[in-house]
Amino acid sequence: MLRGIGTSKGIGMGNALVLVEQNVRIKTETVENAEEEILRYRKAKQQFVHDTDKLIEGLAKQLKEQEKTALVLKNQVYLVKDIELNEGIENLIKTQKICAEAAVEDTCNLYINIFSNMENAAMNQRVIDIVDMKNRLIRILMGVNEVDFKDIKPGTIIVARELHPSMTALMDTSHIAGIVAEKGGDTSHAAILARALEIPAVLSVRDVCAKIKNGEQVIVDGEYGEVFVNPIEKTIEIYRRKQSAFLEKREELKKYIDKNTETADGKKVLLAANIGNEQEAAKAVADGAEGIGLFRTEFLFMNGVSMPSEDEQYEAYRRVAVIFKDKPVIIRTLDIGGDKDIPYMGLSREANPFLGYRGIRFCLDRVDVFTVQLRAILRASAYGHIKIMIPMVTALQEILAVKKIIHGICQDFDRKEISYDKNIKLGIMIETPAAAAMADVLAHEADFFSIGTNDLTQYMMAVDRTNENVSYLYSTFNPAVLRMIKRIISCGHEAGIEVGMCGEAAGNPSMIPLLLAFGLDEFSVTASKVLDTRKNIADWTCSEAEGVAKQVMELYTDKEISNYLGDYILNKK
Ligand code: PEP
Ligand code: MG
């Protein structure tokens, strides 16, 4: 059995098709007329955009209506138009008199090296995008045709080193029973697309192309990240059963798509989704999310090789707002620092990045960057129900400073008659102990709270959320964290504002009775957990949840609490 990261749930069974990538040999000759070469490059770029749009169109036909925007290839169209990248390529042709193929290769490799050195899943995805874009652009320049994947037989398990977005677009995906690749993680485009198409996928399987041969029988378990090659009859039998149980459960959950989110005795709460881009927004709306509780905008900044302009950001925010129509879309302002770096922002290395130049601290220092983002969000607010949220708040003056900047932008917009939502709400994340302790005061300056349990747990427990050595202390079930969550919700309610939660805890089935009992107004979960969470909420009555919470709050350790909740839920079934 081979192991990797399960990135798209489900069981896939079929025969392997091992994809071998054909590398093109790059021309490296010099040119006499640089101007002509630049024109040749620009033509290839146009061809690239045209071809990619065609691929997107083809892929859209294979996706469900609501998921048409789950087209990861769009990123490549933005990338190929990136101003800095183009200046780099054209300058090389001009100054070094090298051919367009070599200039594309050199310039893209520069960015590939920068992004490859960053230990960050989103950045690794940028690498895949740039490599795919580079190879296709060079193929166009050299007049080499794309590889033909059209004749894939039904029940095929695709095995590849790396699944480039353009490859997937060239395949008849209805014939793909599963995907296995050597590279890629949960946020890679292969994973996003596999989830949108409901194809089981296991990525990051070491040397898999050498371990599986064409035509061999393969089972892919996209939940547990397991891959079986030439399985024995007994394994096939077990996985057949697992497959039908999985499909049954998926069908059962689909019943919750159009339902209200409410407890068994009818108490309604809002169920929203956390997203990082437009594709996830489309997936969330398809699964019946009632809004966006957290739009992590840093991914937009990680997408390109330079900062997205006001117009680019405006378009991205506007499109998500339009997808959700009158439902709330909470856009969190840039939260970089900590474990999220953006190379072109020039952040210096810090001894304690999680305690350093992060989130709102960065934005209030780089008002130039912050203002561009706030202008884009405010302009987009004219098209839907956008709310603004500030991350990493620790002090009252940070909220006041943000209000001042927003006020200045609104005055400018009023003078220039630029439309925006004049009643736009400004909320804050409560994810630091300082903000939690001051929640009663902050609630008078914020329009809403959203509890960020990922960071709140880290800072309450003084445990770096990425440090394996101390991960045993990182538990949201620790009574210290639970007491804080309860307090934050009460403080918000006493001041008359709504309190949501967008940390991972909001989607944890064991946490749900506690959050219901504490009175949480909004649960915001990863797009793929929307339906599960709606079902889990429907399993509780308010009085049962309150009884459980009362017991839990009398316990003193995270282990006792999680065991108690785990057992209770198991016996409930
Ligand atoms: C959190 O801290 O809980 C949160 C939702 O934000 P992030 O994980 O992006 O830091
Ligand atoms: Mg956070």
Side-chain angles (χ1 to χ4, degrees), residues 294 296 332 335 340 358 429 431 452-455 465 502-503:
L294 168 63
R296 287 185 166 99
R332 179 174 74 181
D335 185 16
K340 299 176 206 137
R358 224 205 118 166
M429 291 203 60
E431 52 182 344
T453 47
N454 308 344
D455 275 317
R465 71 196 233 193
C502 58

Side-chain angles (χ1 to χ4, degrees), residues 18-26 105 131-132 134-136 138-140 142 144-149 160-162 164 166-167 170:
V18 186
L19 299 181
V20 193
E21 279 164 62
Q22 292 154 334
N23 284 331
V24 272
R25 262 180 77 89
I26 315 271
E105 168 87 358
V131 171
D132 195 20
K134 179 189 85 171
N135 290 343
R136 291 178 47 231
I138 290 174
R139 276 203 186 98
I140 294 173
M142 296 182 69
V144 178
N145 286 337
E146 296 275 4
V147 191
D148 192 4
F149 294 121
R161 255 181 65 65
E162 189 169 350
H164 295 303
S166 63
M167 284 180 185
L170 289 164

Side-chain angles (χ1 to χ4, degrees), residues 455-481:
D455 275 317
L456 186 64
T457 308
Q458 139 166 287
Y459 295 125
M460 282 296 299
M461 300 306 298
V463 51
D464 178 342
R465 71 196 233 193
T466 61
N467 185 336
E468 294 276 316
N469 296 332
V470 285
S471 61
Y472 67 95
L473 280 169
Y474 185 94
S475 169
T476 308
F477 292 106
N478 190 292
V481 184

Side-chain angles (χ1 to χ4, degrees), residues 6 121 146 187 208 210 212 227 288 316 353 374 407 467-468 503 514 526 568:
E146 296 275 4
T187 52
V208 75
I212 301 182
V227 179
L374 288 172
H407 182 66
N467 185 336
E468 294 276 316
L514 307 184
T526 320
Y568 191 98

Side-chain angles (χ1 to χ4, degrees), residues 100-116:
E101 288 86 341
V104 169
E105 168 87 358
D106 287 359
T107 313
C108 289
N109 283 354
L110 206 76
Y111 290 109
I112 291 167
N113 283 340
I114 299 173
F115 289 116
S116 306

Side-chain angles (χ1 to χ4, degrees), residues 523-565:
F523 293 67
S524 190
V525 301
T526 320
S528 59
K529 278 196 176 166
V530 168
L531 291 179
D532 277 301
T533 307
R534 185 169 288 140
K535 181 184 180 309
N536 289 335
I537 290 173
D539 281 346
W540 293 91
T541 61
C542 291
S543 59
E544 189 181 15
E546 276 156 21
V548 166
K550 191 167 177 301
Q551 291 290 320
V552 161
M553 295 312 273
E554 282 166 12
L555 301 173
Y556 295 145
T557 68
D558 61 312
K559 284 279 164 311
E560 282 173 289
I561 293 175
S562 51
N563 287 344
Y564 172 82
L565 288 166

Side-chain angles (χ1 to χ4, degrees), residues 367-523:
V367 179
D368 53 331
V369 174
F370 196 33
T371 303
V372 169
Q373 179 172 44
L374 288 172
R375 286 177 62 92
I377 299 176
L378 283 163
R379 279 171 58 200
S381 71
Y383 295 87
H385 184 183
I386 287 180
K387 301 182 186 187
I388 303 175
M389 178 158 75
I390 329 171
M392 260 307 270
V393 170
T394 45
L396 180 67
Q397 60 269 30
E398 289 165 337
I399 312 177
L400 302 179
V402 174
K403 283 190 173 176
K404 207 165 151 199
I405 298 172
I406 293 180
H407 182 66
I409 298 172
C410 292
Q411 279 185 324
D412 181 44
F413 281 8
D414 289 340
R415 265 194 309 272
K416 294 180 178 148
E417 297 186 3
I418 297 173
S419 0
Y420 65 97
D421 175 5
K422 293 197 191 269
N423 287 317
I424 194 161
K425 300 283 182 255
L426 176 69
I428 59 170
M429 291 203 60
I430 304 281
E431 52 182 344
T432 64
M438 292 295 283
D440 52 333
V441 175
L442 302 183
H444 293 288
E445 287 300 334
D447 293 319
F448 62 91
F449 284 163
S450 183
I451 308 174
T453 47
N454 308 344
D455 275 317
L456 186 64
T457 308
Q458 139 166 287
Y459 295 125
M460 282 296 299
M461 300 306 298
V463 51
D464 178 342
R465 71 196 233 193
T466 61
N467 185 336
E468 294 276 316
N469 296 332
V470 285
S471 61
Y472 67 95
L473 280 169
Y474 185 94
S475 169
T476 308
F477 292 106
N478 190 292
V481 184
L482 292 180
R483 285 178 193 201
M484 270 303 164
I485 294 174
K486 189 167 184 237
R487 174 191 152 75
I488 297 162
I489 298 172
S490 307
C491 289
H493 288 174
E494 267 163 39
I497 63 168
E498 291 197 341
V499 183
M501 178 178 285
C502 58
E504 289 303 305
N508 184 323
S510 295
M511 195 57 91
I512 282 172
L514 307 184
L515 300 176
L516 286 171
F518 297 162
L520 191 76
D521 302 294
E522 179 208 282
F523 293 67

